[in-house]
Structure formats: C-alpha cells, structure tokens
Amino acid sequence: MTLVKTLASALAMIVISATVTSADGITINDAYARSAGKTAKAGAAFFMIANDSDQEDRLIDVMSSAAKKVELHTHVDQGDGVMKMVHVKEGFSIPAGGQHLLKRGGDHVMFMGLNSVWSTGDVIPVTLFFERAGQVTIDVIVDLERHDTMQH
C-alpha cells in the first residue's frame, strides 16, 4: 500500500469512528470490526455504549447486511477454562448515566456467514435496537490490525 493510500485509509478510520448519538441519550463511541482474514466466515464488532439519560436502557437486537446472521454475543466460561461464545437473547443493559463496553473476549456483535471479505478500511453498516432509545444506525470501520486498547 502506498503512503498516500495508507494516510487516506487512516483518515477515513478517524472520520468514520466518530461518535454517533441517538435522540434519547445513547452514544456509540470508538466502533471497529474485525475478522480473521480473507477466508473468515465470521467477524465481530466492538464499541462503547454510553447512556447519558436518567433511565436504564437495553441493547436488545442488531442487524446488518454484512452477514447472513448477526447476533449479540458474549463469552461464557464452561468451568474448565474453556470459553464458549453464546447468543445473548436478552441483550445488554446500559445503566442510567453509565456505560457498557463491547470488547474482544467479552460482549460483542457477532457476524456469521460474511457476505464479503473484510479488509481494513471497509465500512460495515450496523443498526442497533434499544428498548428505550429505539433504532440507532452506525458505520463501523474494519480494522484488522487493531489491538483492543479500551480499558473501561
């Protein structure tokens, strides 16, 4: 990749990963997605959800055209040190005035049956559904090189 393309890709990631806010106090920060490479059949998205309202909200569903199936997932310890990914049907609670982090190794948005190969700089449209705030649509940037640095 040339220096110009590298700089353009970096600038696009900064612009696209900007904060998205709903009318009801939900803010999505620092969204990114990744897959395991060109042969990956699955990918995941991670971000911080902040709830600036005075009432608890809940992320209850997710939708995207990027994969055949998209779900809210988490990792559960099977008791023998082996972690298993599971669908979280009840969604994720976001406390009033609080935050909920979707991160690698924890809660996340799971994409199964990717419709195309993901490359760094691609934009994945994702619609989040909240009990109170309703529908929030965000653009999630693919970053295959990122290490999870969010420590919330």
Side-chain angles (χ1 to χ4, degrees):
M1 185 180 285
T2 67
L3 179 60
V4 173
K5 285 184 180 178
T6 302
L7 291 174
S9 178
L11 179 60
M13 283 191 230
I14 291 167
V15 171
I16 292 171
S17 66
T19 300
V20 176
T21 307
S22 81
D24 291 325
I26 292 294
T27 306
I28 309 300
N29 292 300
D30 201 24
Y32 76 100
R34 53 184 295 123
S35 67
K38 294 185 188 291
T39 60
K41 303 281 189 240
F46 315 98
F47 44 87
M48 174 65 75
I49 306 169
N51 180 359
D52 297 325
S53 77
D54 60 358
Q55 295 183 349
E56 176 183 349
D57 206 337
R58 180 173 288 279
L59 176 60
I60 55 174
D61 203 1
V62 63
M63 182 176 70
S64 177
S65 60
K68 292 171 183 57
K69 189 174 190 179
V70 185
E71 295 178 342
L72 300 173
H73 273 208
T74 196
H75 288 86
V76 175
D77 188 340
Q78 299 289 75
D80 54 1
V82 175
M83 299 299 279
K84 178 181 179 183
M85 272 193 290
V86 296
H87 178 205
V88 182
K89 294 176 185 172
E90 69 277 9
F92 306 126
S93 174
I94 302 91
Q99 301 176 334
H100 187 87
L101 178 62
L102 278 65
K103 66 178 185 172
R104 293 169 66 180
D107 297 341
H108 58 279
V109 174
M110 189 73 198
F111 299 81
M112 296 163 284
L114 298 181
N115 291 325
S116 64
V117 174
W118 288 3
S119 299
T120 295
D122 289 348
V123 177
I124 308 298
V126 177
T127 302
L128 307 170
F129 297 91
F130 293 88
E131 280 183 345
R132 301 189 60 74
Q135 181 176 318
V136 176
T137 300
I138 61 174
D139 287 329
V140 180
I141 190 79
V142 174
D143 186 347
L144 302 179
E145 303 300 318
R146 179 164 173 176
H147 298 283
D148 200 359
T149 58
M150 297 172 68
Q151 302 294 319
H152 299 281

